[in-house]
Amino acid sequence: MAATPGEGEQAKGGERQDVARASDHGALVAITDKFLPEEYKKKLLEVLRMTQIEQWLREEGHKEGRREGENEKAYEVARTALLKGADVEFVAEITGLPLGIIQKVKNH
């Protein structure tokens, strides 16, 4: 069944509102985190563990950890290659790091 004119725009508008609401809630959590007592934070974590949000947060943490590890490895390879006399353009190519970053690694 085809959507009537305007239905797609309404759906997109609703999605934008959901994203804005989620962003507002995220900002509220970030701000209140600074003022919440540890005991309340622990209780909140217990509640989150019963939801899909906890699983999503855990998965995001794992992804971020892998990205950081990969980035750290790229820096290590860059330093080693530069110490062995490799050209900065070549090092940028093999590590995937930007040329400007390779230049900084070389100069330190």
Side-chain angles (χ1 to χ4, degrees), residues 10-108:
Q10 287 176 349
K12 288 179 185 174
E15 290 172 7
R16 273 183 258 164
Q17 288 176 343
D18 289 345
V19 169
R21 248 185 249 115
S23 178
D24 290 346
H25 291 135
L28 180 61
V29 168
I31 291 169
T32 57
D33 182 53
K34 295 179 181 180
F35 305 104
L36 293 176
E38 285 300 313
E39 182 179 319
Y40 185 78
K41 289 178 189 179
K42 288 177 184 177
K43 287 180 182 179
L44 185 58
L45 182 59
E46 288 175 22
V47 171
L48 282 175
R49 284 192 174 129
M50 294 182 255
T51 68
Q52 288 182 337
I53 294 171
E54 190 272 338
Q55 181 181 357
W56 177 80
L57 288 170
R58 188 177 304 275
E59 289 171 3
E60 288 300 308
H62 288 295
K63 288 178 189 175
E64 184 175 334
R66 279 192 294 276
R67 280 191 300 267
E68 288 175 4
E70 289 170 1
N71 198 33
E72 194 174 303
K73 184 65 175 173
Y75 274 91
E76 184 181 318
V77 169
R79 280 190 286 278
T80 302
L82 290 168
L83 287 172
K84 299 277 185 178
D87 182 64
V88 290
E89 286 85 10
F90 174 72
V91 174
E93 183 181 331
I94 64 170
T95 62
L97 295 171
L99 190 58
I101 297 293
I102 301 300
Q103 291 285 5
K104 287 180 183 178
V105 170
K106 182 178 181 178
N107 294 332
H108 284 92

